[in-house]
Amino acid sequence: MRINRLQLVNFRQHADTSIEFGTGITGVIGPNGAGKTTILEAIAWCLYGTGAQRDKLETIRFQRAGERAQVKVVLDFELSGQRYRVNREMSRAEVYVNDDANPVANTKTGVNEFIQRRLGMTRVEFFNTYFTDQKQLSVMASMKPTERAHFLSRVLGYEKLRTAQDLVRERRKTILAEMSGLRAGMPDPDVVARTLAEAGKRAADSARLATERRRVHVECDAAFQQILPRWAAAQEAREALQKTTGEMQVAETEERSLLARGERIGADLNEIVQAGAELDDLRLRTERLPALTIELQRLDSLYREEGRRRTLAEQSREIATEIERLTAKKARIALAPEQEETVTLALEKHRATLEEVEGKLEARRTEWVRDKQEAQTKRQALLRQHGDIKEQLRILADLGPDGACPTCSRALGENFARVVESLTEQMDALTSDGKYFRKRMEELDGMPEDIKALDEARRTAAQEVGALERQLAKVQSAVLELTGVARELTDKEERQAQLVQEIAAMPEGFDAAEHARVRAQIEELTPLAVRVERLAALAEREPQIRTEYDEVAAMLVAHRGRSQELRAALAKIAFSEEEYLATKVEHERATGAARVAELQRITAEGELRAANASADSAREAATELAKREEKLSALKRARRIHDELDRAYSDLRSDLNAQLRPELSELASGFMAELTDSRYSELELTNDYDLTVLDDGVPKPVISGGEEDVAHLVLRLAISQMIAERAGQPFSLLVLDEIFGSLDEARRHNVINLLRRLHDRFEQVILITHIESVREGLDRVISVRYDEGSGSSRVEESAPSDDLAAALAGLPVLEPIAAAS
Ligand SMILES: Nc1ncnc2c1ncn2[C@@H]1O[C@H](COP(=O)(O)OP(=O)(O)OP(=O)(O)O)[C@@H](O)[C@H]1O
Ligand SMILES: [Mg+2]
């Protein structure tokens, strides 16, 4: 494979980049973050599509481009003499061959499949052969021994064996699971066989029993059928007997009732004949009854009037008494209105008198009380003054004439006697006044006579007012009563006049004896009149009764004839109750036996069906068991085959791995010697796929970081070469991203030299690095830098170092470029 041209539009930091690639060693050089690895990523994405980019697909669009800006990568490459162009965008892809106008594939899946087919490798395989990703170089160092073996096995394609082995193991697991499932669900063969035998026996027994029961049922049914006609005849005869007997009884009852009716009618006719004479006599005797009845009605009426008159007279008497009482009362209170006037006047006068006496009494009493209080107050004041002077005299007596005046503090001296005298005089005057007021108080202590007289006059006046008020109340109630009494008296007098009138209008002449006599006569004649009526009615109905009598006689004759007929028919019916009962018992027995036999037959048939069903299921279980046993032995065979296959794959992988290590060690050792200028000529891959550098055949326990990088690089190159040799197709491309790690300059030159020497195998090498000095020794340099203004990567081809020849001159192992390309 050879890459010719690559175009990137809005792919990550590359807004618009075009790169022409040639053969030989192309260096893609630029500082960190310039967009170098992005170029490789674009190649991978263009070929393999989604999944080959570093992050999620949405992150690849150039950040400064619009949301809908087109993202595109176009890659031109050659392979086995054919030219290809792949166009890939976010949502579409196309591939053209040899500049053909029409694409050979124009869908994303179509392009992916086409490329994978043409390159003969998957995306993963591609990355492990053509590409050595940044960071991939030392990836083995961080792995555990098994992971390393696994990795190598994967990159060299041995992994297919592991996948195949995994498939074999997976299948074996399924087989085992199936086997254990089969075993778990498989019944015990002994149990199945026993069940089958038992079910067969049960079915045979049931069949025998069912045949026997069917035979018994047929026999019982025949016996039942045989008795049926006899039983029907017996029932028929019994029914006929019952029917005729019933009819007989009806006819006899009818006959009896006709006879009774005839007798009743005959009696009526006799009565009619006898009634003829009696009727005339009775009619004569009851002739007066209507007149008597009218008389009784008149007397009854008079009797009722008499009773009413008595009631009214009683009422009239009561009213007369009442009128008398009311008249007396009216006369008693007739003067009440004049009395009311007189009493009112007297009351007003007495009230005035009372008011006047009360006024005087109040004034006098106030005066008396005031005098009393005045005398008391004055006396108390005198008593206080008397006490004070007495105290002063006592103090003076204590002080004596030499003492100092208690008021002015001067010596009393000759004033002492004068002061004592003056005070004594004052005391005497006070005592005399005190006595006067005490007397005055004693005088005022009892109520004065005039006040007593006034109080008495007030009480008398009040009593008179009270009496007059009571009298006025009485008179006023009499005035009110007078109107009511007058009205009531008028009402009673009117009612009395009405009663007198009513009593006067009532008829007279009620005779009680006559009334009793008439009533007795009517009571005697009434039953006779009833009999007259009955006999007259009988006589009236005579023709009709005679006709009825004739009809009953004719009906009686007819019924007697019918009874005779029925009796004859009854005699003809041949029925014996004993015979009937015997047939009934026989029929019931046959019915019961037939029913039992039928039930037993049905039960036996049911059992037969159940037995057949269990025999069937036992047979099915046996068949199923046989099938499962067969399947189980097939699975056992398959398991044996898969066991063997698994072993074979393991052996094969061990063999391949055993061969792989020495081969890889040899290739890597050759590269190592070249890169280290034969300082180290041996690189061994241990059992754990650990890299060990040998110095003169002795393993070096410690190697420098740079030496370790060299070791990893040579191993990676050895792997690439090995893959290329085994792949069997021209693997002319090698892409190495930042493989120098910590190699010193001389070693870096050696790497380039080595790559140059591998030119026959890898005609196109793309070397990505940020180390500027590597330019020297390259066939072509593509510079990549970040342009701050546009925020995108700028790519341009620059010439390798001018003093390349000079630089190379110092490196003995480096071959001339011209020769290499
Ligand atoms: N969609 C995008 N738009 C713009 N810039 C992006 C986008 N995706 C990634 N980048 C940026 O592109 C830059 C270049 O990345 P790349 O890996 O190509 O660098 P490099 O040159 O390989 O650097 P180093 O030498 O460190 O490996 C990074 O800084 C990254 O952040
Ligand atoms: Mg990079």
Side-chain angles (χ1 to χ4, degrees):
M1 182 189 192
R2 194 170 77 210
I3 294 172
N4 292 330
R5 194 169 174 272
L6 177 70
Q7 191 197 354
L8 292 86
V9 178
N10 290 327
F11 189 89
R12 297 206 185 277
Q13 202 166 267
H14 291 267
D16 188 8
T17 298
S18 272
I19 307 171
E20 299 284 341
F21 290 96
T23 51
I25 306 175
T26 302
V28 177
I29 303 179
N32 293 135
K36 305 181 295 292
T37 302
T38 306
I39 294 170
L40 296 193
E41 188 189 6
I43 295 170
W45 183 70
C46 186
L47 291 170
Y48 286 99
T50 310
Q53 80 282 359
R54 279 181 288 182
D55 201 341
K56 285 182 188 144
L57 185 65
E58 358 11 311
T59 66
I60 64 168
R61 178 176 282 114
F62 177 41
Q63 275 169 355
R64 291 209 188 182
E67 236 179 67
R68 311 186 77 81
Q70 187 192 35
V71 175
K72 189 168 89 172
V73 178
V74 183
L75 177 71
D76 287 276
F77 67 92
E78 282 173 38
L79 184 70
S80 310
Q82 305 265 55
R83 282 192 315 282
Y84 299 88
R85 162 172 287 191
V86 185
N87 276 358
R88 190 177 286 272
E89 293 172 29
M90 297 278 262
S91 55
R92 53 194 288 264
E94 289 165 339
V95 57
Y96 296 87
V97 182
N98 294 334
D99 300 328
D100 206 353
N102 296 317
V104 288
N106 59 2
T107 59
K108 289 209 281 184
T109 328
V111 170
N112 295 352
E113 281 172 8
F114 178 83
I115 293 294
Q116 191 163 322
R117 219 167 35 246
R118 271 302 139 96
L119 295 182
M121 54 184 82
T122 62
R123 178 168 59 83
V124 178
E125 288 163 344
F126 182 78
F127 275 102
N128 291 324
T129 52
Y130 293 141
F131 276 58
T132 295
D133 250 357
Q134 193 167 1
K135 298 171 192 159
Q136 186 74 40
L137 194 61
S138 59
V139 83
M140 269 178 70
S142 60
M143 292 177 182
K144 291 187 185 120
T146 44
E147 282 174 340
R148 273 182 216 134
H150 196 71
F151 171 76
L152 282 175
S153 153
R154 185 156 50 80
V155 299
L156 289 168
Y158 299 167
E159 203 47 25
K160 284 174 192 154
L161 284 180
R162 181 182 284 279
T163 314
Q165 187 175 21
D166 283 348
L167 280 174
V168 165
R169 284 182 177 167
E170 198 59 38
R171 178 71 197 118
R172 190 178 55 180
K173 227 155 93 185
T174 317
I175 290 168
L176 285 172
E178 256 182 83
M179 280 170 70
S180 79
L182 262 179
R183 282 204 186 99
M186 234 156 82
D188 183 346
D190 291 347
V191 174
V192 172
R194 202 163 51 243
T195 312
L196 189 63
E198 280 167 7
K201 186 176 174 300
R202 183 182 160 196
D205 291 350
S206 303
R208 263 196 306 283
L209 186 69
T211 312
E212 172 60 15
R213 291 278 156 85
R214 273 190 211 110
R215 188 191 60 73
V216 172
H217 183 209
V218 168
E219 272 176 17
C220 290
D221 198 48
F224 172 70
Q225 296 298 338
Q226 209 183 4
I227 188 91
L228 264 187
R230 259 199 300 138
W231 171 235
Q235 275 176 311
E236 211 174 293
R238 192 164 190 261
E239 264 165 39
L241 183 76
Q242 279 169 350
K243 188 170 167 250
T244 316
T245 312
E247 278 174 24
M248 265 283 294
Q249 279 163 358
V250 171
E252 278 169 6
T253 313
E254 194 80 345
E255 206 180 306
R256 272 196 299 279
S257 99
L258 280 171
L259 263 174
R261 216 171 126 199
E263 274 166 22
R264 229 176 18 254
I265 298 169
D268 282 353
L269 281 174
N270 277 340
E271 203 179 354
I272 287 167
V273 174
Q274 282 161 18
E278 192 189 347
L279 198 56
D280 294 342
D281 175 47
L282 284 175
R283 271 190 181 137
L284 205 66
R285 280 170 66 189
T286 57
E287 212 170 27
R288 287 181 307 117
L289 190 60
L292 278 172
T293 310
I294 290 165
E295 179 59 9
L296 182 65
Q297 278 168 359
R298 192 185 68 83
L299 285 168
D300 280 348
S301 164
L302 278 176
Y303 172 72
R304 276 193 302 278
E305 287 294 320
E306 188 59 29
R308 226 182 117 226
R309 186 205 308 278
R310 269 195 219 116
T311 314
L312 290 179
E314 182 60 28
Q315 276 180 15
S316 174
R317 265 193 304 281
E318 275 169 16
I319 288 172
T321 316
E322 194 70 359
I323 287 171
E324 218 171 284
R325 188 183 63 78
L326 287 170
T327 311
K329 192 171 184 182
K330 194 183 167 193
R332 237 184 2 260
I333 56 174
L335 293 174
E338 290 109 83
Q339 281 174 347
E340 187 185 10
E341 218 169 294
T342 320
V343 172
T344 307
L345 282 175
L347 183 63
E348 274 170 13
K349 213 173 107 203
H350 279 84
R351 272 185 185 145
T353 312
L354 176 64
E355 216 171 291
E356 194 191 334
V357 172
E358 276 177 343
K360 281 184 189 160
L361 174 66
E362 189 57 36
R364 269 299 291 132
R365 189 179 273 153
T366 312
E367 207 179 321
W368 169 52
V369 170
R370 197 183 57 227
D371 287 352
K372 225 166 94 169
Q373 275 174 352
E374 217 171 66
Q376 195 179 6
T377 314
K378 282 241 175 84
R379 189 166 179 262
Q380 275 168 355
L382 289 171
L383 278 172
R384 265 196 312 278
Q385 281 174 4
H386 184 271
D388 286 350
I389 291 171
K390 199 176 169 186
E391 177 66 11
Q392 280 178 26
L393 277 171
R394 192 190 60 76
I395 294 167
L396 279 178
D398 287 352
L399 290 171
D402 300 333
C405 172
T407 335
C408 61
S409 315
R410 281 194 301 242
L412 285 163
E414 58 201 25
N415 290 329
F416 180 77
R418 201 171 37 83
V419 172
V420 168
E421 191 184 346
S422 161
L423 286 173
T424 312
E425 273 171 23
Q426 279 179 38
M427 251 188 68
D428 290 345
L430 284 170
T431 310
S432 142
D433 286 356
K435 277 178 186 161
Y436 166 76
F437 278 110
R438 196 174 66 212
K439 194 165 163 258
R440 179 80 182 131
M441 275 177 69
E442 280 165 7
E443 279 168 12
L444 288 171
D445 201 30
M447 188 186 273
E449 285 309 311
D450 64 329
I451 295 177
K452 277 186 190 164
L454 276 171
D455 196 37
E456 183 56 33
R458 188 199 57 81
R459 204 161 40 80
T460 316
Q463 274 174 356
E464 278 167 0
V465 166
L468 282 169
E469 276 173 352
R470 282 194 296 280
Q471 197 182 352
L472 182 63
K474 255 191 208 163
V475 171
Q476 278 172 340
S477 106
V479 169
L480 281 176
E481 207 180 1
L482 186 62
T483 329
V485 168
R487 202 170 44 242
E488 205 180 338
L489 194 59
T490 317
D491 288 352
K492 297 280 176 196
E493 279 166 353
E494 277 172 11
R495 176 73 187 130
Q496 183 69 299
Q498 212 180 355
L499 282 174
V500 170
Q501 233 175 351
E502 256 181 71
I503 291 168
M506 280 183 157
E508 285 184 30
F510 173 69
D511 184 344
E514 175 65 5
H515 190 214
R517 195 181 55 77
V518 170
R519 192 184 285 145
Q521 278 183 6
I522 286 176
E523 271 169 19
E524 189 194 327
L525 291 177
T526 303
L528 299 181
V530 172
R531 177 134 181 90
V532 166
E533 249 170 61
R534 203 181 101 68
L535 291 176
L538 262 180
E540 219 170 87
R541 279 178 54 229
E542 191 191 341
Q544 189 197 334
I545 291 171
R546 278 201 191 283
T547 317
E548 204 181 330
Y549 185 79
D550 293 346
E551 278 169 11
V552 168
M555 275 156 76
L556 196 59
V557 170
H559 270 88
R560 279 190 179 138
R562 172 76 185 139
S563 294
Q564 263 169 6
E565 271 172 28
L566 286 170
R567 234 170 266 125
L570 207 57
K572 269 191 209 149
I573 294 170
F575 176 79
S576 147
E577 185 67 24
E578 293 82 52
E579 257 176 49
Y580 171 80
L581 287 175
T583 314
K584 190 182 175 193
V585 169
E586 214 176 316
H587 171 258
E588 273 167 6
R589 218 174 272 146
T591 311
R595 247 185 233 141
V596 169
E598 186 182 15
L599 211 66
Q600 284 180 342
R601 175 184 63 77
I602 290 167
T603 314
E605 280 172 353
E607 164 60 16
L608 178 60
R609 272 194 300 280
N612 282 341
S614 37
D616 286 350
S617 67
R619 270 193 294 279
E620 264 169 36
T623 316
E624 183 63 17
L625 180 67
K627 269 191 212 155
R628 281 180 183 218
E629 274 170 344
E630 202 175 305
K631 196 168 176 192
L632 197 62
S633 52
L635 284 170
K636 275 182 192 158
R637 280 195 301 280
R639 194 197 68 191
R640 271 198 299 279
I641 291 168
H642 281 80
D643 284 347
E644 273 163 31
L645 263 178
D646 185 27
R647 253 196 311 282
Y649 276 125
S650 293
D651 294 350
L652 190 55
R653 279 183 43 231
S654 320
D655 289 356
L656 282 172
N657 281 339
Q659 280 174 23
L660 168 77
R661 276 191 301 110
E663 242 176 81
L664 258 184
S665 295
E666 202 182 315
L667 266 176
S669 298
F671 292 150
M672 184 78 173
E674 281 191 40
L675 283 188
T676 58
D677 296 335
S678 298
R679 162 122 191 241
Y680 305 118
S681 56
E682 261 184 276
L683 190 70
E684 204 181 75
L685 217 50
T686 64
N687 276 349
D688 291 342
Y689 292 90
D690 227 351
L691 275 181
T692 311
V693 178
L694 302 180
D695 194 359
D696 277 339
V698 182
K700 262 183 84 75
V702 176
I703 53 169
S704 77
E707 285 165 347
E708 199 175 325
D709 281 349
V710 170
H712 287 138
L713 176 62
V714 298
L715 179 62
R716 187 69 178 86
L717 288 173
I719 292 168
S720 294
Q721 173 147 348
M722 205 165 173
I723 293 163
E725 278 169 5
R726 290 186 181 197
Q729 64 145 310
F731 269 70
S732 51
L733 173 66
L734 194 60
V735 184
L736 303 163
D737 189 359
E738 296 291 8
I739 52 159
F740 292 125
S742 54
L743 300 195
D744 59 25
E745 206 172 336
R747 295 239 161 102
R748 291 204 291 268
H749 280 296
N750 286 354
V751 168
I752 293 168
N753 247 345
L754 173 66
L755 292 174
R756 201 167 281 293
R757 227 167 294 129
L758 292 174
H759 185 60
D760 59 333
R761 194 149 279 130
F762 304 109
E763 96 178 312
Q764 189 178 40
V765 177
I766 299 172
L767 189 62
I768 294 170
T769 180
H770 64 278
I771 304 165
E772 278 290 331
S773 59
V774 173
R775 288 172 169 268
E776 296 159 9
L778 304 181
D779 296 321
R780 178 183 289 99
V781 170
I782 292 167
S783 297
V784 185
R785 65 180 173 82
Y786 175 68
D787 176 48
E788 285 203 10
S790 60
S792 63
S793 300
R794 289 268 182 255
V795 176
E796 52 204 26
E797 191 169 344
S798 59
S801 179
D802 286 343
D803 50 10
L804 176 68
L808 294 178
L811 303 167
V813 286
L814 201 68
E815 286 175 12
I817 300 167
S821 58

